Amino acid sequence: MRIMGPKYMTAGMGDAGACHPRDNIALRWLAAEYDIGYDLFDTIMHAREIQAKNLAEFLVKHSNGLPIVIHGKAYKPDVPYCIGSYSTLVGYYVKESGHNVKYLDPLADDNADVIDSVTQPCVLLLAHNRHVTYGYTGDVGDDNFYCNIPQGSIIVDPWRKMPQTNNYTVIHYGNTRNN
């Protein structure tokens, strides 16, 4: 259930943490060592990069002058570790496009670009979702945020769990069924 259960297989942010890249490096070495003919693990890492760049471009496209904030810098909620974080990969591509990005994460061990509150409307990527990661029950709502999110913000939810409210616009990223 830990690796193949419904929490792990829920659509959302790309794989992250120090283990995933390290595992893929080791598996790529094995693929070369045993000449399996196709490096599936390189393809997985390449797809991760493309997905992160696409998500960054989506954030920039919807910013319309609003600041871009990524809700969660660590590789998952409630941990301080930023090594291998998918959030920082998306943030890298936002910066590469010439836009600034800030992270909202009270535990991040890398405090560069980290803020502790949002004071003006922004485009906020919901990178951390305790309900999905840890299986919290109940409705996904404002209790999922690290601080109050200003009215008029745009929340990009790759988990597609956040409901629409009158306070902000929610975009369920990756939802092609309603397009």
Side-chain angles (χ1 to χ4, degrees):
M1 289 304 290
R2 186 182 72 77
I3 303 176
M4 295 302 292
K7 288 185 292 186
Y8 192 83
M9 299 303 285
T10 299
M13 296 290 283
D15 70 349
C19 296
H20 288 274
R22 190 174 55 229
D23 292 348
N24 277 302
I25 290 168
L27 291 169
R28 289 188 69 210
W29 178 86
L30 278 173
E33 180 74 12
Y34 291 101
D35 193 25
I36 64 171
Y38 180 73
D39 190 348
L40 174 66
F41 310 105
D42 179 59
T43 302
I44 291 168
M45 295 309 287
H46 183 69
R48 180 180 189 260
E49 292 280 336
I50 292 170
Q51 290 171 340
K53 187 173 184 178
N54 289 343
L55 182 50
E57 289 171 355
F58 186 86
L59 296 173
V60 168
K61 177 179 138 189
H62 286 83
S63 67
N64 294 323
L66 293 175
I68 297 173
V69 175
I70 297 179
H71 183 268
K73 187 171 187 180
Y75 78 92
K76 69 179 181 179
D78 304 322
V79 301
Y81 314 113
C82 295
I83 295 172
S85 167
Y86 195 72
S87 297
T88 58
L89 183 58
V90 172
Y92 166 81
Y93 285 116
V94 169
K95 289 177 188 175
E96 189 177 70
S97 73
H99 291 79
N100 290 325
V101 64
K102 296 290 183 185
Y103 299 90
L104 182 63
D105 193 330
L107 296 176
D109 64 5
D110 174 3
N111 288 324
D113 300 324
V114 175
I115 55 176
D116 58 5
S117 66
V118 182
T119 58
Q120 63 184 24
C122 62
V123 172
L124 183 129
L125 172 61
L126 186 58
H128 282 182
N129 187 320
R130 291 180 179 121
H131 292 268
V132 173
T133 304
Y134 302 120
Y136 290 177
T137 58
D139 293 335
V140 177
D142 290 343
D143 63 324
N144 203 46
F145 297 123
Y146 293 134
C147 70
N148 291 326
I149 306 302
Q151 190 167 358
S153 293
I154 298 170
I155 298 172
V156 177
D157 177 15
W159 313 100
R160 301 189 294 277
K161 303 286 185 192
M162 182 63 86
Q164 292 290 341
T165 73
N166 293 330
N167 294 334
Y168 32 72
T169 301
V170 176
I171 300 172
H172 289 161
Y173 179 78
N175 184 4
T176 58
R177 292 185 182 144
N178 294 332
N179 291 345

